[in-house]
Amino acid sequence: MTDRRGDRRGGRTGVWFAGARGSVATTAVAGAAAVRTGLAGAAGLVAETGDFRGAGLPALSDLVFGGHDVVQTPLVKRAEQLASAGVLPAAVAAAVRPDLLAADAEIRDGHDGGEPPSAAAERLAADMTAFRDRHGLDRVVVVNVSSTEPPAPRRPEHQDLDALERAIAAGDEVLPPSSTYAYAAFRAGCPFVDFTPSTGPRLPALDALARSRGLPYAGSDGKTGETLLRSALAPMFAARALRVLAWSGTNLLGGGDGATLADPAAAASKTASKQRGLAQLLGRPVDGELHIDYVPDLGDWKTSWDHVLFEGFLGTRMTLQFTWEGCDSALAAPLVLDLARFTARAHEAGEAGALVPLAFFFKDPAGTTDHRLDAQYTALREWAARRLGAGAGAGERPEESA
Amino acid sequence: MTDRRGDRRGGRTGVWFAGARGSVATTAVAGAAAVRTGLAGAAGLVAETGDFRGAGLPALSDLVFGGHDVVQTPLVKRAEQLASAGVLPAAVAAAVRPDLLAADAEIRDGHDGGEPPSAAAERLAADMTAFRDRHGLDRVVVVNVSSTEPPAPRRPEHQDLDALERAIAAGDEVLPPSSTYAYAAFRAGCPFVDFTPSTGPRLPALDALARSRGLPYAGSDGKTGETLLRSALAPMFAARALRVLAWSGTNLLGGGDGATLADPAAAASKTASKQRGLAQLLGRPVDGELHIDYVPDLGDWKTSWDHVLFEGFLGTRMTLQFTWEGCDSALAAPLVLDLARFTARAHEAGEAGALVPLAFFFKDPAGTTDHRLDAQYTALREWAARRLGAGAGAGERPEESA
Amino acid sequence: MTDRRGDRRGGRTGVWFAGARGSVATTAVAGAAAVRTGLAGAAGLVAETGDFRGAGLPALSDLVFGGHDVVQTPLVKRAEQLASAGVLPAAVAAAVRPDLLAADAEIRDGHDGGEPPSAAAERLAADMTAFRDRHGLDRVVVVNVSSTEPPAPRRPEHQDLDALERAIAAGDEVLPPSSTYAYAAFRAGCPFVDFTPSTGPRLPALDALARSRGLPYAGSDGKTGETLLRSALAPMFAARALRVLAWSGTNLLGGGDGATLADPAAAASKTASKQRGLAQLLGRPVDGELHIDYVPDLGDWKTSWDHVLFEGFLGTRMTLQFTWEGCDSALAAPLVLDLARFTARAHEAGEAGALVPLAFFFKDPAGTTDHRLDAQYTALREWAARRLGAGAGAGERPEESA
Amino acid sequence: MTDRRGDRRGGRTGVWFAGARGSVATTAVAGAAAVRTGLAGAAGLVAETGDFRGAGLPALSDLVFGGHDVVQTPLVKRAEQLASAGVLPAAVAAAVRPDLLAADAEIRDGHDGGEPPSAAAERLAADMTAFRDRHGLDRVVVVNVSSTEPPAPRRPEHQDLDALERAIAAGDEVLPPSSTYAYAAFRAGCPFVDFTPSTGPRLPALDALARSRGLPYAGSDGKTGETLLRSALAPMFAARALRVLAWSGTNLLGGGDGATLADPAAAASKTASKQRGLAQLLGRPVDGELHIDYVPDLGDWKTSWDHVLFEGFLGTRMTLQFTWEGCDSALAAPLVLDLARFTARAHEAGEAGALVPLAFFFKDPAGTTDHRLDAQYTALREWAARRLGAGAGAGERPEESA
């Protein structure tokens, strides 16, 4: 591996999106090009901050993009839509056209059920492998940024890899699409990142598959807004012995995600993931509803209002309210790039299974129940410090994963 | 020392307030009695959380209260006022009457300039010493909860203890009242806590005095509301590489503190202390004004509104707003009790100078520029862990202070 | 009629509450006494403002209280509970004890279904009549402040008075409790005010009954918080040609009302009543959900957060958010007193049917679809001006009601 | 005059901006073209709503633009800047290029002091007259949208037209620039609109001049955001007898206006204008500061946070907070177009002096102290109704102005 920066490892890295034509993937592809070429600064990219220099992460310029999607809209057109919605600067959308065209040429037909599962898995895996071979990539990280699924029904086959593979072979649609992507990725020797609250790789059978192939995975559900704030604020109440009585939240969002979550079944995945974290942060369940409302005219923007009722000295009741107004794609896209780079590095270092040190990025982190933002950040930096200066590949001692 | 709980150290501890008839001191005296007797829970008391069990802090039942004040309103009357303002539960105010009367009997005439400095210092110190002797206390922690002073003019004598003592002897009013209290405390062999943004012990000459007498001190400016939130939230922006462009704040407060801060000179101390911390948290100064407005009808309640404008991926501008509505005395009083207990323990353990591990409690922590709440909390817990099980007094190895 | 103030009419007026032991009724009884005796000012009482002097409203000192309730908690105890929750000043609760005892003596067993409808109506009406006779009152206004009912199923008998009376006689539970109260009131010759979103008198058959007996009624659903603001703000957007795209709202409330509304069926009445008004104010339905969440620890306090997304010149999207933090009983109780006084005056003046000029007080005003607060206020003042100086009783020309 | 719509009057109308290259004027010129040609809808334009159809206002297509400015940036460039800041849609900025070029050709050098006053006034008036003649306009309305001035020192000459004209002739800089524009406009026979809080025509001497020439004027200080809300909300508190104890506000704004108002002297004009209105709305001065903070990165966007502390029944304290996030130019530009059209119609109808019915548009309305938004809107509609169907020009009966 040629390492132009001296401290960089990870080699040429493919980033393969499930949902490659969505807002997040489009912004990630366009943004990576814009930052790489100096059109835009590095704001939002955790991997570019001082704490992670020298940790051997692949550079932005080492990333090659492709993926699956069930829709056909060209990426150039998606970027224009995002520009007119104020998500991408118009100048960026225009300047990165070649990068969008290149990624577009690497997008294949996606999967959303209906195809015999065994054929689907084989086809998806073949697309990933061909992408890796075509570009001579050291590795391909598969990142799920497709629409949120409804919670999948539990099946006994999810507990056991052999049973799962028998069911798939028998044509049983035992896996939801997100898990089929993870299954295909692991079969193709690719690490997996689930940026959505869908099931993805979070099944014992898939965990076993990942470990047996020496593959790491990270997830679930990128922590971009309200939950990010909750994970920063809840530890403050705990440290100061202020007793939270109720934590209520309302999220208004438009865009594709809003439309998906207007379906109560899909919203259930997200709501459950958010409330689980809060109870764990506060050490017990607290009162308070969590609403996700679809407001089409908000487009890619999201507004969260949270109201925290807490009790201080001598039972005095006090409140904190916050309103967060963020652009979903602008918050999610850099994390997706970060996750691909951190996961690639973990794979290079020989890690397998759930990547607990990446909990910092997720609402519902795989392999841990510690939701405190600062503790997660400390864990990520410690992981990076251990990767620092370590030899690449076989020479590097893998660490235990959760 | 008889230690009824087995893990407790610190002995019988005096808490001597500068500003003993103010809302904070009154709530602290009443609240300590209410919690000790089970009338109220331990909400708001950091020292009572699991992290600090076994660290040898003096128990609430080991605290004895007294202090100085320039006003004469009886504590029982102050508590009634606080009850009718909704700050103290009426039942608490009534039930702790004996404790208020006991503390009232220990309040002496305060100092706010005008008295020859040398006589003032001697008188204040004598009151502290007499209190210690009268009750056979192991130590007395002096806690400044008096009104905020305007910033004091710098004097060369502040740099050098000998020069300072000569000036005092010569009748020069070289110290503001808060520093006179600290000087008197150190002369009386008492550790000192400055809960206000006033100058207090933060002068090289007073630091030298404290160290020469083996006395610790902590300060400045209790972190109870807006700044507490800022120190929890600013690290989140930094960790996520979100670039804060402007952080604006408006504080509405009534009560005695509000009236004091309506004087722009006094407000200057507080504003400076708040903005310093923000710049340090974010690594650079950012735009944004900070207002402190006096709204008499808010009484002891304080409302803070903060607006954070930040930049994410590709320059997208986003915002966070929060509104914090807190009762000042209910937030401050438990911290004052915590600080007395932690400082007493540090004294017992032989620490001297600025108590950096207590930065968690302050807007403008003495001896450090690290304002990150979580890092401060970790430091406090580590300090407590080191105190755990250590032998008391002479047998315990003092640690270096900043 | 003796008129001690010269301009006063209306005579001695009974106020008979359905829900006489609830927070609103208790606060109304206590508050009327406190204001009458100068213990408290007239804040919150519309009838006491300059616009309504001379309109012949009965004075606070002319009101006599009683009512029905299904619970037995003494009013004195309810007042103590309200005082310790910070709703009633403790001094008021203590001082008005005789007034609470007097009202308590006038409370009879309430009705919430289960009793043969004809017997129930007769019993309720007899209680009202006996109250009027016992105190020699000129009239009794019945005010429904009981818990919100779920929406009642529509019945053909609701359209026709004869059919309704036949069904009642036949033992058919054709009316929900709120309508049974209205039916009983009209049978007893009493005007009726529905302060809740329940069905109450809003049935053609009951409207016919009221008109046939020359009785006025007012309703529905007191406009105390979020809807009050909406009716003040929505006309602003309309007048400025700012196009509201979505209006979202979240209400957090504790107390009895919160518990009732935690039942989605009961909440449906309230939500429907709120959204209807918004669509009428804006001239068309707009996007946006409305949530009512039960947060027990808020007690009698209610927090509403509204988010308005609107479009200005050239399609620019802008937002307004507001947070209203109010004490439900303190907002509702004075309106209940106002309504009793205005309705008594309308009765005296010979009005019958829905009192359109009282729309100002309601979320879902009977007899009109104009929800604009200012237009409603203008209508109320114009009505009062017409009542001004007019002769009482028979000599006064009744006006057309809706 | 050809009247294509039948109900239209007002003739071809010039709109002459003082500050013709600023954001508001640029947005007004671009927006008028966009709405006229169907590129954008009529959101934000009061004159286009149903209430003003038939009132004889000049159509958007009857407006011709020009003005004065002290800067030279071409309008096309300004529009591009506004487009990249998200204020103008990029498609609009491109499509209206011919209209921007046409207006640009009509911009002359502005005035900001330093020139002998008599020469300045003559030059400005000559530019206005030439514009009217060049385009054969029925009238030219001069609209001040230049930067806010500091409050001007009072001069005795401001009280008397003769004294004023003598001072001007003597070379005395007796008028601030905004008033020099008004003086020039009146001398040129042009009605005047002051959209800023500067002095403008609000001097007895200039009022006398306007009346002597039969010219109407309107002002001052366009009501676009926080004050708009205050004038909608304050009457609600009054109507409900809720006693406002304190009304505090913080405004964060960037853009040219923000930079100007960062100068405390200029901000003083605006702050005074805002607080005056609030006291008048509430019937008495209330506590509460008003801050205007410059936050450069907000660009053309403005955020206002208001906190209202009020007292309800039995002294219960409650609060309302709102946050308004608006785009200044998008809010101001349509009002500027409205004002030009309403003022042109008033001129056509023979009105002179302060146009009280236009108070609806202003923070500090000339000729009235009624700040209630709804009352102002009613007055505007009544004025329009009187204009309806009335014959134009000499045949129409002028009404009394304030």
Side-chain angles (χ1 to χ4, degrees), chain C residues 135-224:
Chain C
H135 293 276
L137 302 171
D138 289 276
R139 60 191 53 79
V140 170
V141 180
V142 177
V143 182
N144 181 20
V145 287
S146 62
S147 292
T148 296
E149 296 168 358
R154 294 189 183 186
R155 293 281 301 265
E157 292 86 348
H158 294 169
Q159 301 300 315
D160 180 77
L161 182 55
D162 288 343
L164 180 71
E165 302 212 305
R166 280 193 304 273
I168 290 173
D172 183 353
E173 292 209 18
V174 67
L175 291 180
S178 63
S179 300
T180 301
Y181 277 113
Y183 176 72
F186 295 152
R187 292 272 302 260
C190 299
F192 192 85
V193 173
D194 202 334
F195 203 75
T196 80
S198 303
T199 307
R202 286 185 296 175
L203 297 172
L206 295 180
D207 179 75
L209 175 59
R211 290 176 185 275
S212 73
R213 306 274 175 123
L215 293 169
Y217 64 87
S220 295
D221 205 2
K223 180 157 75 173
T224 55

Side-chain angles (χ1 to χ4, degrees), chain A residues 245-246 248 250 252 287 289 291 293 295-298 303 305 307 309 317 319 321 323 325, chain C residues 245-246 248 250 252 287 289 291 293 295-298 303 305 307 309 317 319 321 323 325:
Chain A
L245 300 171
S248 308
T250 296
L252 311 179
D287 278 326
E289 308 276 323
H291 305 290
D293 295 355
V295 177
D297 284 306
L298 280 174
T303 296
W305 173 73
H307 180 277
L309 175 69
R317 306 263 158 106
T319 60
Q321 297 171 56
T323 301
E325 296 172 275
Chain C
L245 301 171
S248 309
T250 296
L252 312 179
D287 278 327
E289 308 276 323
H291 304 290
D293 296 353
V295 177
D297 284 306
L298 280 174
T303 296
W305 173 73
H307 179 277
L309 176 68
R317 307 262 159 104
T319 60
Q321 297 171 56
T323 301
E325 296 172 275

Side-chain angles (χ1 to χ4, degrees), chain A residues 360-396:
Chain A
F360 175 67
F361 294 102
F362 294 109
K363 283 193 196 73
D364 200 9
T368 178
T369 57
D370 191 344
H371 290 260
R372 294 169 302 148
L373 185 69
D374 195 278
Q376 294 172 334
Y377 186 51
T378 299
L380 183 65
R381 281 182 299 164
E382 287 171 357
W383 175 88
R386 289 197 301 275
R387 295 280 76 89
L388 187 73
E396 193 168 17

